[in-house]
Amino acid sequence: MANHAQSRSADIDALIAKDTGGRIPLGPSGKLILVTAAVWSLFQLWIVSPLPFMLKFGVFNEAEARSIHLTFAMFLAFLAYPLRAKSPQNSIPIYDWILALIAAGCASYLFVFYEDLALRPNLPTTADIVVGVLGILLLLEAARRTLGPPLVIIASLFLLYSLAGPYMPDMISHGGVSLSGLINHQWLTSSGVFGVALGVSTSFVFLFVLFGALLDKAGAGNWFIRVAFASLGHMRGGPAKAAVVSSGLTGLISGSSIANVVTTGTFTIPLMKRVGFTPEKAGAVEVSSSVNGQLMPPVMGAAAFLMVEYVGISYVEVIKHAFLPALISYIALIYLVHLEALKAGMQGLQRVEPPKPIVQKLISFLTGLLLVMAIGAVTYYGLGWLKPLLGGWALLVISLLLVAVYVGLVRVASTQPSLDPEDAMDELPRIRPTVLAGLQYLLPVVVLVWCLMIERFSPGLSAFWASVLMIFIVATQPWLISKLANESTEGMVKRGLADLTAGLISGARNMVGIGIATATAGIIVGAVSQTGIGLVLADVVEVLSMGNLLLMLLLTALLSLILGMGLPTTANYIVVSALMVPVVLTLGEQAGLIVPLVAVHLFVFYFGIMADVTPPVGLASFAAAAVSKGKPIKTGVTAFFYSLRTALLPFLFIFNTDLLLIDVPWWKGVIVFVTATIAMLLFSAATMNYWFTKSRWYESVLLLLIAFTLFRPGFWMDRIYPPTEQLPSSQLEQVIEQKAPGDTLRLWFDGEDIYGDPVNYVAQFKVPEAAGAQAKLDELGLTFYEVDGELLVDIVGFSSPAERAGVQFDQRLVSVEKQLQTPPKELAWIPALILLFGVYWLQRQRKLGMVS
């Protein structure tokens, strides 16, 4: 047993080393890396905390903080990641010391000479250009070491494209950029390397990664896995279901698909193989559930915080829109695993404790649910009453109450068997002791959610307070558990401080790759803004799709998949959003599909993330195959098959934004959740060719048809009862007169854009509160003049809704869209449910042996 645990621990260390730097030098060099990593974590805590403003010391503006953040990342990248696989692992060669110091100097240039640079904007000196060239080259080398070649190749191509624009083929050519202009844009301003992406990494991402590292160091990751196995391990294919849930829980705080696969897969994959899963299927289940963890709020592999900046909505809104598709996808994956277990006749792991009667289980569940609801209500209303009553003492009193709750939960945990992370789980843990042994780990998560959702703090400040509590827990937990269990406390304070230091170091080492990735991806974002290549990509996709909307979305999904190959989650999202979001918006608008910006960002994000699954570069699949000892390509193909439901969801919420809870009342949200979940379960059953029993081909086709109808009932109803009618432009005033404030007005235009290129698009507006058609048009910023019976745009108001919609002078108003009264689209569910009952009856009869 000990040898097995040691072997598994060595495997974990070897795989994680690829993510956090394989080099572990000995002696003073190793200590310097550890001290630098710990100082980086402390610096990040400092700049997000209220202390600098309270003490009026150590206040950094955004540009300075980003510069220092990248300085730490690049310095550690050259020290912790060797030049080649065969380079020294236990010592740092002199050339890496030189590169680390030069890289740190280039990254800190913006901080050291901030005032000088501010006095001469867009006027780089020779020294600026030299530093910028060295900085970009060293950043690319750091990216190669930490992330591999894919991101380096993409960023290099964009740099080359910026410089060689005039020499490119006509379709993708541009005016070109000088070397000084390139360096100024990419290194000396906030448009390139030091742009929004690195800013989000500095302000938000680091704190969440540190929070996750501290949670894991305290034992929360191990607790999540054991709770999942205790609850689900006894079911058919139980280890696979537990893998899905534990990976989902780990994914809540993880910023990496690969790290998720490695940390949970080393436990879950061997147990899945034990109950009958092949190595490839076991690895594929782990990959699918781990990658899905990047789609699940609140972290979403740091994409949630980037969306806040890119989309311009609050963090709470991002979470609300992203939550339902991710939850539906996870529920469907559990069901898919269940069907796989049914097909193979698998059983679960053997319970130590006898099973409880179903009534007792139901009573226990309801009791627990009511208790949680009661605690939540008391907390919410109690704090709402305490805060105004206590005034300035509120923070101190609430902190003391939190500490008291923590001590009470640790007291409960001290009476339960300890959860040894090296235990191979040869038998299922008991549910009650396992749950009680780690309830204290939920406190920081509760604080995080409370700060984000109730107090509406910024993500960075919320993560700071959650991390402060996590630091307190990590430092005090060993001593407190020993004390309350009446065991020896000797050395426990030292152990707690050692765990805390290890957590700070682990958080920083996990951030090296993310910091380098966001900075390198900033090169691509900067090139897009400097050259206008986004419009070029839109033209390319438009030509290839031949104006077909569905084909355009398929091409966009494929390009997002290709662009995301080999990239970590954060860099993946930055790249695909910078390049592909404008394509979907532009071409969708021309085709009459007006999609909310957040829906488009989630669309490209989902397909970028799928690159972690898909061969030949599916990094998560390769990591899972290393654990399962299966074939990597076959693991990736199987994982892609299991992830088809994830690939389907983006298309569905592009055409049905109700899935993202956009402008949906709560009661309709419940209906959307229930129907979409049923539809996704039926889709899973259809793709697995198994529902209650093995499906015949026509039953699978019918299940796909039913699932599609439940997802998009409007597809059929719109063909029976068209929801809109195109009216000539001469009826504009009549249409807008009939609309109430807040209604949607859609106008079709054609003409030329600001570049003189022909366009045909639809502009969508919210009808303003004004009396009369002309007053409403004035509010929208639209003035027309008539030529030969046609309306042409005469004036577009400055900063008006019309200008933001892209309306230009002299464009022709082609038609006005009028909404028609139609029956509820949900009527299409009736025949779908009748068909569903028919399929159920056929399979039920066949299962019972009544039909051959």
Side-chain angles (χ1 to χ4, degrees), residues 100 135 189 235 238 260 306 340 354 373 388 436 473 541 596 640 730 838:
T189 70
M235 299 179 178
N260 205 350
L306 288 161
E340 191 75 77
M373 292 172 63
L436 293 179
I473 290 174
V541 172
F640 179 76
S730 58

Side-chain angles (χ1 to χ4, degrees), residues 146 170 175 181 205 276 349 384 435 502 591 593 665 752 761 774 781 783 786 848:
T146 57
D170 288 342
V205 178
L349 296 176
V435 171
L593 179 68
E752 295 182 347
Y761 66 96
Q774 189 56 53
T783 303
E786 188 173 344
L848 294 174

